[in-house]
């Protein structure tokens, strides 16, 4: 009986600290003025199950590159522009609806596709560096509009 109680307590604390790490990452993101490639890739990769929550930004960035979602090398601490966020989101969620994106799948047309689907505002600038709050708004809009196989919808 003691073993079962000790195992239960151990698993509870392990789960608690795992959630605390995720909450710390969200808090850190919310306080960020410019989201970096590493942060964006971390949240997108963990959301889609490409990496674990305890992965580093570098591992998440490498995972996104391995999936073919980024085809160039970039430091993980460089700010990510809105058109690149759009491009990764469109590819990860496999969003359809744009003839031009089908012909030429570039960040420009991914950005325009998300504007057309009202994920981004009509006045959004494709080269704008987004804050953590704006990035989380984009993620929540994508989660709400484009359910994935991992979601419970």
């Amino acid at each position: 009986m003691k073993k079962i109680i000790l195992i239960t307590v151990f698993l509870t604390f392990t789960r608690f600290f795992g959630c605390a790490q995720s909450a710390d990452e969200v808090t850190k993101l919310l306080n960020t003025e410019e989201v970096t490639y590493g942060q964006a890739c971390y949240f997108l990769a963990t959301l889609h199950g490409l990496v674990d929550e305890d992965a580093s930004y570098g591992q998440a960035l490498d995972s996104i590159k391995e999936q073919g979602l980024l085809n160039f090398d970039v430091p993980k601490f460089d700010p990510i522009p809105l058109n690149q966020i759009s491009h990764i989101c469109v590819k990860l969620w496999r969003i359809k609806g744009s003839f031009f994106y089908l012909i030429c799948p570039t960040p420009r047309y991914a950005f325009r596709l998300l504007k057309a689907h009202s994920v981004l505002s009509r006045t959004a600038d494709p080269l704008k560096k987004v804050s953590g709050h704006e990035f989380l708004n984009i993620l929540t809009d994508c989660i709400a509009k484009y359910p994935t196989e991992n979601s419970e919808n």
Side-chain angles (χ1 to χ4, degrees):
M1 186 68 174
K2 281 185 170 182
K3 287 182 180 180
I4 293 173
I5 292 173
L6 287 174
I7 291 171
T8 304
V9 169
F10 175 73
L11 291 176
T12 302
F13 279 115
T14 304
R15 180 70 179 153
F16 172 75
F17 287 119
C19 291
Q21 180 178 354
S22 299
D24 288 342
E25 289 297 327
V26 172
T27 303
K28 194 182 333 178
L29 182 71
L30 284 172
N31 294 328
T32 302
E33 290 187 27
E34 290 184 339
V35 175
T36 64
Y37 276 91
Q39 288 174 314
C41 290
Y42 172 80
F43 279 91
L44 290 166
T46 54
L47 180 65
H48 286 274
L50 301 176
V51 295
D52 294 330
E53 290 182 8
D54 58 347
S56 69
Y57 291 161
Q59 292 169 329
L61 184 62
D62 291 340
S63 174
I64 293 290
K65 286 179 188 175
E66 287 171 9
Q67 296 293 316
L69 304 174
L70 274 177
N71 55 3
F72 55 91
D73 288 330
V74 63
K76 63 184 174 186
F77 294 114
D78 278 2
I80 185 170
L82 193 52
N83 63 354
Q84 287 296 329
I85 294 171
S86 302
H87 190 56
I88 296 170
C89 287
V90 168
K91 284 186 168 187
L92 274 175
W93 271 281
R94 295 182 176 100
I95 302 170
K96 298 193 180 359
S98 171
F99 178 71
F100 289 112
Y101 186 76
L102 181 65
I103 292 172
C104 184
T106 61
R108 170 189 167 88
Y109 292 116
F111 173 79
R112 292 179 63 166
L113 176 62
L114 290 186
K115 278 178 69 171
H117 287 190
S118 299
V119 173
L120 304 174
S121 70
R122 294 277 180 200
T123 59
D125 178 18
L127 299 178
K128 178 184 180 197
K129 311 298 191 249
V130 297
S131 69
H133 184 42
E134 292 168 323
F135 178 70
L136 285 178
N137 284 340
I138 293 168
L139 284 186
T140 54
D141 283 349
C142 286
I143 291 168
K145 290 183 184 214
Y146 316 111
T148 63
E149 297 86 33
N150 297 342
S151 69
E152 297 165 3
N153 293 354

PDB file of all heavy atoms in Angstrom, residues 20 30 71 74 95 99-100 111 115 122 126 128 146:
ATOM      1  N   ALA A  20       3.812  23.086 -14.738  1.00  0.00           N
ATOM      2  CA  ALA A  20       4.412  24.350 -14.321  1.00  0.00           C
ATOM      3  C   ALA A  20       5.403  24.839 -15.364  1.00  0.00           C
ATOM      4  O   ALA A  20       5.493  26.032 -15.630  1.00  0.00           O
ATOM      5  CB  ALA A  20       5.092  24.177 -12.965  1.00  0.00           C
ATOM      6  N   LEU A  30       4.107  35.560 -23.122  1.00  0.00           N
ATOM      7  CA  LEU A  30       3.233  36.725 -22.978  1.00  0.00           C
ATOM      8  C   LEU A  30       4.005  38.000 -22.660  1.00  0.00           C
ATOM      9  O   LEU A  30       3.574  39.089 -23.017  1.00  0.00           O
ATOM     10  CB  LEU A  30       2.190  36.472 -21.894  1.00  0.00           C
ATOM     11  CG  LEU A  30       1.039  35.558 -22.301  1.00  0.00           C
ATOM     12  CD1 LEU A  30       0.173  35.226 -21.099  1.00  0.00           C
ATOM     13  CD2 LEU A  30       0.214  36.175 -23.408  1.00  0.00           C
ATOM     14  N   ASN A  71      12.609  26.140 -44.815  1.00  0.00           N
ATOM     15  CA  ASN A  71      13.628  25.599 -45.711  1.00  0.00           C
ATOM     16  C   ASN A  71      14.900  26.442 -45.741  1.00  0.00           C
ATOM     17  O   ASN A  71      15.626  26.435 -46.704  1.00  0.00           O
ATOM     18  CB  ASN A  71      13.064  25.437 -47.125  1.00  0.00           C
ATOM     19  CG  ASN A  71      12.488  26.727 -47.661  1.00  0.00           C
ATOM     20  OD1 ASN A  71      12.553  27.748 -47.004  1.00  0.00           O
ATOM     21  ND2 ASN A  71      11.925  26.661 -48.840  1.00  0.00           N
ATOM     22  N   VAL A  74      18.097  29.622 -39.747  1.00  0.00           N
ATOM     23  CA  VAL A  74      17.875  30.881 -39.054  1.00  0.00           C
ATOM     24  C   VAL A  74      18.217  30.664 -37.584  1.00  0.00           C
ATOM     25  O   VAL A  74      17.935  29.589 -37.030  1.00  0.00           O
ATOM     26  CB  VAL A  74      16.414  31.368 -39.245  1.00  0.00           C
ATOM     27  CG1 VAL A  74      15.428  30.413 -38.645  1.00  0.00           C
ATOM     28  CG2 VAL A  74      16.219  32.759 -38.708  1.00  0.00           C
ATOM     29  N   ILE A  95      -4.166  24.035 -44.191  1.00  0.00           N
ATOM     30  CA  ILE A  95      -5.289  24.906 -44.516  1.00  0.00           C
ATOM     31  C   ILE A  95      -5.416  25.020 -46.030  1.00  0.00           C
ATOM     32  O   ILE A  95      -4.447  25.276 -46.726  1.00  0.00           O
ATOM     33  CB  ILE A  95      -5.089  26.297 -43.877  1.00  0.00           C
ATOM     34  CG1 ILE A  95      -4.950  26.155 -42.365  1.00  0.00           C
ATOM     35  CG2 ILE A  95      -6.244  27.219 -44.237  1.00  0.00           C
ATOM     36  CD1 ILE A  95      -4.511  27.418 -41.663  1.00  0.00           C
ATOM     37  N   PHE A  99      -6.112  29.427 -54.217  1.00  0.00           N
ATOM     38  CA  PHE A  99      -5.589  28.927 -55.481  1.00  0.00           C
ATOM     39  C   PHE A  99      -4.122  29.328 -55.653  1.00  0.00           C
ATOM     40  O   PHE A  99      -3.292  28.528 -56.074  1.00  0.00           O
ATOM     41  CB  PHE A  99      -6.439  29.459 -56.641  1.00  0.00           C
ATOM     42  CG  PHE A  99      -5.941  29.027 -57.986  1.00  0.00           C
ATOM     43  CD1 PHE A  99      -6.062  27.720 -58.395  1.00  0.00           C
ATOM     44  CD2 PHE A  99      -5.342  29.936 -58.841  1.00  0.00           C
ATOM     45  CE1 PHE A  99      -5.598  27.312 -59.634  1.00  0.00           C
ATOM     46  CE2 PHE A  99      -4.880  29.547 -60.079  1.00  0.00           C
ATOM     47  CZ  PHE A  99      -5.003  28.234 -60.478  1.00  0.00           C
ATOM     48  N   PHE A 100      -3.809  30.570 -55.297  1.00  0.00           N
ATOM     49  CA  PHE A 100      -2.434  31.044 -55.450  1.00  0.00           C
ATOM     50  C   PHE A 100      -1.476  30.301 -54.522  1.00  0.00           C
ATOM     51  O   PHE A 100      -0.341  30.022 -54.889  1.00  0.00           O
ATOM     52  CB  PHE A 100      -2.348  32.550 -55.217  1.00  0.00           C
ATOM     53  CG  PHE A 100      -2.967  33.348 -56.327  1.00  0.00           C
ATOM     54  CD1 PHE A 100      -4.116  34.082 -56.114  1.00  0.00           C
ATOM     55  CD2 PHE A 100      -2.400  33.356 -57.582  1.00  0.00           C
ATOM     56  CE1 PHE A 100      -4.685  34.805 -57.139  1.00  0.00           C
ATOM     57  CE2 PHE A 100      -2.958  34.076 -58.617  1.00  0.00           C
ATOM     58  CZ  PHE A 100      -4.110  34.800 -58.393  1.00  0.00           C
ATOM     59  N   PHE A 111       0.212  34.187 -45.806  1.00  0.00           N
ATOM     60  CA  PHE A 111      -0.206  35.382 -45.077  1.00  0.00           C
ATOM     61  C   PHE A 111      -1.545  35.885 -45.607  1.00  0.00           C
ATOM     62  O   PHE A 111      -2.466  36.166 -44.839  1.00  0.00           O
ATOM     63  CB  PHE A 111       0.880  36.459 -45.214  1.00  0.00           C
ATOM     64  CG  PHE A 111       0.510  37.783 -44.643  1.00  0.00           C
ATOM     65  CD1 PHE A 111       0.573  37.999 -43.280  1.00  0.00           C
ATOM     66  CD2 PHE A 111       0.096  38.822 -45.467  1.00  0.00           C
ATOM     67  CE1 PHE A 111       0.229  39.228 -42.739  1.00  0.00           C
ATOM     68  CE2 PHE A 111      -0.242  40.051 -44.946  1.00  0.00           C
ATOM     69  CZ  PHE A 111      -0.176  40.246 -43.574  1.00  0.00           C
ATOM     70  N   LYS A 115      -5.280  36.111 -43.738  1.00  0.00           N
ATOM     71  CA  LYS A 115      -6.042  37.363 -43.726  1.00  0.00           C
ATOM     72  C   LYS A 115      -7.439  37.134 -44.276  1.00  0.00           C
ATOM     73  O   LYS A 115      -8.419  37.630 -43.727  1.00  0.00           O
ATOM     74  CB  LYS A 115      -5.323  38.439 -44.547  1.00  0.00           C
ATOM     75  CG  LYS A 115      -4.219  39.135 -43.798  1.00  0.00           C
ATOM     76  CD  LYS A 115      -3.480  40.153 -44.624  1.00  0.00           C
ATOM     77  CE  LYS A 115      -4.304  41.353 -44.964  1.00  0.00           C
ATOM     78  NZ  LYS A 115      -3.498  42.430 -45.596  1.00  0.00           N
ATOM     79  N   ARG A 122      -7.130  42.764 -41.324  1.00  0.00           N
ATOM     80  CA  ARG A 122      -7.003  43.259 -42.707  1.00  0.00           C
ATOM     81  C   ARG A 122      -5.845  44.229 -42.871  1.00  0.00           C
ATOM     82  O   ARG A 122      -5.322  44.391 -43.961  1.00  0.00           O
ATOM     83  CB  ARG A 122      -8.302  43.949 -43.136  1.00  0.00           C
ATOM     84  CG  ARG A 122      -9.481  43.044 -43.234  1.00  0.00           C
ATOM     85  CD  ARG A 122      -9.461  42.364 -44.541  1.00  0.00           C
ATOM     86  NE  ARG A 122     -10.628  41.476 -44.645  1.00  0.00           N
ATOM     87  CZ  ARG A 122     -10.683  40.487 -45.479  1.00  0.00           C
ATOM     88  NH1 ARG A 122      -9.679  40.238 -46.283  1.00  0.00           N
ATOM     89  NH2 ARG A 122     -11.743  39.726 -45.526  1.00  0.00           N
ATOM     90  N   PRO A 126       2.932  42.006 -43.342  1.00  0.00           N
ATOM     91  CA  PRO A 126       3.594  40.699 -43.392  1.00  0.00           C
ATOM     92  C   PRO A 126       4.985  40.671 -42.767  1.00  0.00           C
ATOM     93  O   PRO A 126       5.437  39.621 -42.331  1.00  0.00           O
ATOM     94  CB  PRO A 126       3.670  40.385 -44.883  1.00  0.00           C
ATOM     95  CG  PRO A 126       3.463  41.663 -45.585  1.00  0.00           C
ATOM     96  CD  PRO A 126       2.671  42.533 -44.685  1.00  0.00           C
ATOM     97  N   LYS A 128       5.864  42.442 -40.078  1.00  0.00           N
ATOM     98  CA  LYS A 128       5.774  42.869 -38.687  1.00  0.00           C
ATOM     99  C   LYS A 128       6.274  41.760 -37.763  1.00  0.00           C
ATOM    100  O   LYS A 128       6.009  40.590 -37.965  1.00  0.00           O
ATOM    101  CB  LYS A 128       4.320  43.198 -38.336  1.00  0.00           C
ATOM    102  CG  LYS A 128       4.130  43.601 -36.906  1.00  0.00           C
ATOM    103  CD  LYS A 128       2.669  43.810 -36.589  1.00  0.00           C
ATOM    104  CE  LYS A 128       2.548  44.207 -35.122  1.00  0.00           C
ATOM    105  NZ  LYS A 128       1.195  44.047 -34.649  1.00  0.00           N
ATOM    106  N   TYR A 146      -9.376  25.540 -37.336  1.00  0.00           N
ATOM    107  CA  TYR A 146      -8.832  24.412 -38.091  1.00  0.00           C
ATOM    108  C   TYR A 146      -8.492  23.264 -37.146  1.00  0.00           C
ATOM    109  O   TYR A 146      -7.342  23.110 -36.744  1.00  0.00           O
ATOM    110  CB  TYR A 146      -7.577  24.836 -38.861  1.00  0.00           C
ATOM    111  CG  TYR A 146      -7.705  26.154 -39.564  1.00  0.00           C
ATOM    112  CD1 TYR A 146      -6.986  27.259 -39.130  1.00  0.00           C
ATOM    113  CD2 TYR A 146      -8.562  26.307 -40.632  1.00  0.00           C
ATOM    114  CE1 TYR A 146      -7.105  28.484 -39.772  1.00  0.00           C
ATOM    115  CE2 TYR A 146      -8.685  27.534 -41.274  1.00  0.00           C
ATOM    116  CZ  TYR A 146      -7.961  28.608 -40.825  1.00  0.00           C
ATOM    117  OH  TYR A 146      -8.073  29.815 -41.455  1.00  0.00           O
TER     118      TYR A 146
END
